[in-house]
Amino acid sequence: MNTKKIDDQIRDYYESQRPSPQTVARVKQMIGAGAPVHSRRRLWIGIAAAVAIAVATFIWTAAHRVALSPQQVATSVARQAAFGHNQKQELEFRVTNCADLQRQMKSLDFSLVEPAMMKEMNMRIVGARYATLAGEMAAQIFYVDAHGVPCTLYEARSTDQLARIAAGEHLIDGLRVAVWKENGLVMVLARPMA
Amino acid sequence: MRTRIVKPAEQQHEVPDGVDALLDRAYRYAFSLAHDAAEAEDLLQDACLSILASGGPWERSYLFATVRNRFIDRYRRNRKILFLSLDRHDDREEDQPAELNWEAPDVLRNGLLDRALSLLRAEERETLFLAVIEGYTAEEIAELTARPRGTILSLLHRTKAKLRQLLGKQQVLP
């Protein structure tokens, strides 16, 4: 009986195993092409999907902006003002009157107005910071009332979405938020409920 | 005469030297893991795609590691039990003294060796292949498979003993 070392037989067995010529040709073609075809396709599909999502988001946002009713704009702005009030952000400008504030907030594209209501309520200005309201540049002005209770007033130009805002009062997060227009500006005042 | 201008994207990359031999070796390694020709071809192709996508080197160790990873991924996805714990000592053959490279009758004929190898576990075939065909040291196998060197030595010994026993059983079968 012929015998042979088992390792030699194992070696002969595995060396007789070969990939099919078609597989070798396919793999060599892929190597020659430089990168897997499906990877490039996936890349293009990814780019196309990203562009489609961006376009859809833009269209939706544009439609949404147009479709917002005056009441919806007011609610959205009131929520933003309530959030801004509760955040208790740091003052950028410390002033005691509106004229000083106007001089310091040079980047504003409108002139600040001190609402008549603030004087009637004995509100005292303490400072302000730059902010945005519905995407428009705004001044976030901090007041305190006669009892030292802080209030926050937003002022912004009445353009774009804000031009269609509905005046009214909103109760949000324990705050009373008043929205109105005055001297061509949108005013939003957030103050704690009494 | 019309001349076709080849755009950069269409330019063919040079196939690395010795790629045929490398593909053969990687295929055999894949075959040792899967013990199935079609499965081994798929593993080889998947591994090559993976190397192309990552821009990895066309080197044996890298290609083998990629084949192994693809094999593990594939079987994990199919929820098959791939590698059993090597710390188990439940193989009876282990205790039997075994000559690691014994003289054996022709076991290639009648598919005896093929059947016996099919009865081994994937990690057993893999270790046998790397040691006997590729000439890997226990250290190198340990590095590729992320196992302790002692475990590899023990596994190789047990695998040889198991193979001998399987071949012995099959030779007495009608």
Side-chain angles (χ1 to χ4, degrees):
Chain A
M1 187 195 290
N2 288 336
T3 60
K4 206 174 173 184
K5 290 281 186 188
I6 192 66
D7 280 2
D8 293 336
Q9 296 199 54
I10 294 169
R11 197 172 294 115
D12 290 345
Y13 171 80
Y14 276 111
E15 283 179 356
S16 69
Q17 308 295 334
R18 286 179 185 279
S20 68
Q22 293 88 344
T23 299
V24 174
R26 197 163 52 242
V27 171
K28 285 171 78 173
Q29 193 181 4
M30 288 183 326
I31 296 169
V37 174
H38 74 263
S39 290
R40 285 183 183 164
R41 197 183 305 141
R42 275 184 200 161
L43 178 68
W44 283 112
I45 288 170
I47 291 169
V51 169
I53 289 167
V55 169
T57 306
F58 176 78
I59 291 169
W60 184 88
T61 307
H64 189 68
R65 280 164 71 95
V66 170
L68 277 182
S69 68
Q71 194 58 44
Q72 285 173 318
V73 176
T75 305
S76 165
V77 161
R79 281 204 189 107
Q80 194 186 334
F83 180 74
H85 174 84
N86 287 331
Q87 270 196 316
K88 296 182 171 50
Q89 285 164 314
E90 252 182 69
L91 301 176
E92 287 176 48
F93 309 100
R94 291 184 182 275
V95 291
T96 53
N97 61 68
C98 195
D100 282 349
L101 189 59
Q102 180 68 65
R103 273 192 291 276
Q104 293 194 40
M105 295 186 84
K106 291 171 185 166
S107 297
L108 286 178
D109 56 356
F110 60 91
S111 297
L112 290 169
V113 171
E114 177 134 54
M117 178 183 168
M118 306 309 274
K119 285 180 184 167
E120 289 167 13
M121 293 167 69
N122 287 322
M123 294 280 201
R124 183 168 53 85
I125 192 166
V126 291
R129 61 187 291 276
Y130 289 112
T132 58
L133 202 61
E136 298 293 324
M137 178 180 272
Q140 185 181 0
I141 307 167
F142 300 91
Y143 283 85
V144 288
D145 67 10
H147 305 286
V149 177
C151 308
T152 303
L153 174 74
Y154 281 83
E155 292 191 13
R157 285 173 63 192
S158 178
T159 56
D160 202 16
Q161 277 194 81
L162 293 176
R164 295 176 290 105
I165 200 165
E169 194 167 70
H170 306 256
L171 304 177
I172 302 166
D173 296 337
L175 299 172
R176 193 180 295 277
V177 184
V179 179
W180 75 99
K181 285 187 185 177
E182 192 169 329
N183 293 336
L185 299 180
V186 170
M187 307 281 185
V188 186
L189 176 66
R191 57 196 161 110
M193 283 192 261
Chain B
M1 190 176 84
R2 284 183 69 185
T3 311
R4 185 169 175 265
I5 298 168
V6 180
K7 294 176 186 171
E10 293 174 339
Q11 281 174 352
Q12 292 291 297
H13 291 237
E14 205 168 310
V15 176
D17 288 338
V19 79
D20 289 274
L22 185 64
L23 292 178
D24 278 355
R25 292 170 85 167
Y27 170 81
R28 287 175 194 139
Y29 175 51
F31 185 84
S32 78
L33 287 166
H35 203 75
D36 179 272
E39 187 78 11
E41 290 205 342
D42 281 355
L43 283 170
L44 176 67
Q45 190 168 308
D46 277 4
C48 290
L49 279 170
S50 176
I51 289 179
L52 280 169
S54 66
W58 291 100
E59 289 171 3
R60 179 179 67 160
S61 57
Y62 195 79
L63 184 54
F64 276 25
T66 311
V67 165
R68 191 169 200 277
N69 289 339
R70 301 255 69 75
F71 178 71
I72 292 170
D73 286 350
R74 188 175 288 219
Y75 278 77
R76 197 176 281 155
R77 205 164 42 233
N78 295 340
R79 294 182 180 180
K80 291 182 183 176
I81 296 171
L82 171 60
F83 293 128
L84 299 177
S85 168
L86 297 178
D87 296 328
R88 287 171 52 180
H89 293 280
D90 55 357
D91 293 329
R92 286 184 182 176
E93 300 87 337
E94 189 188 5
D95 299 331
Q96 297 172 357
E99 166 63 45
L100 285 180
N101 190 15
W102 68 95
E103 283 285 339
D106 189 352
V107 287
L108 276 172
R109 284 188 186 176
N110 304 323
L112 283 179
L113 184 58
D114 180 66
R115 273 206 298 279
L117 287 170
S118 74
L119 295 171
L120 295 179
R121 299 197 304 251
E123 71 268 28
E124 292 171 335
R125 281 193 306 268
E126 178 190 35
T127 307
L128 193 63
F129 173 85
L130 291 172
V132 175
I133 287 81
E134 288 294 328
Y136 272 45
T137 62
E139 193 80 43
E140 289 169 332
I141 299 173
E143 194 181 333
L144 175 69
T145 60
R147 291 181 182 131
R149 181 177 170 274
T151 305
I152 298 300
L153 286 170
S154 150
L155 178 64
L156 186 59
H157 184 82
R158 277 188 284 150
T159 302
K160 283 286 189 72
K162 189 173 176 180
L163 185 66
R164 187 170 195 173
Q165 194 187 48
L166 286 168
L167 287 169
K169 277 180 190 168
Q170 290 191 46
Q171 278 172 326
V172 296
L173 289 173

